[in-house]
Amino acid sequence: MEKPLLRCYEGGVGASLKYPEHSLYHFLVHSAKQFPDHPALTFYGKEIQYRELDDLSNRFANALRQFGIQKG
């Protein structure tokens, strides 16, 4: 498949990136430990720090479990 945008890349810029094989959860937990008070999200002027986002995501996951939703 032709990718015309690649013609606009400067020399030495690869056509793709290799991403680590980690889950989104892994990245969130790691960022919450390293940067707890840094902004994770900014939306319509409201900021949520990594610590708060990690807490909210854990609370949401626990609520889903209480409803019987399981991994997978």
Side-chain angles (χ1 to χ4, degrees):
M1 175 171 41
E2 184 183 342
K3 297 181 180 179
L5 185 60
L6 296 179
R7 291 190 298 249
C8 299
Y9 286 13
E10 293 182 23
V13 176
S16 64
L17 297 173
K18 291 186 180 188
Y19 295 99
E21 301 256 341
H22 296 294
S23 66
L24 184 57
Y25 171 78
H26 170 85
F27 288 113
L28 176 57
V29 169
H30 177 73
S31 296
K33 286 179 183 174
Q34 267 201 305
F35 312 105
D37 298 318
H38 290 220
L41 299 171
T42 303
F43 188 71
Y44 283 105
K46 169 133 173 79
E47 277 190 0
I48 296 177
Q49 279 68 34
Y50 280 105
R51 176 193 334 262
E52 184 180 4
L53 182 60
D54 185 41
D55 178 59
L56 290 170
S57 68
N58 285 324
R59 290 172 57 191
F60 182 62
N62 287 325
L64 291 174
R65 279 192 213 128
Q66 288 177 353
F67 284 111
I69 298 173
Q70 298 176 3
K71 185 178 180 178

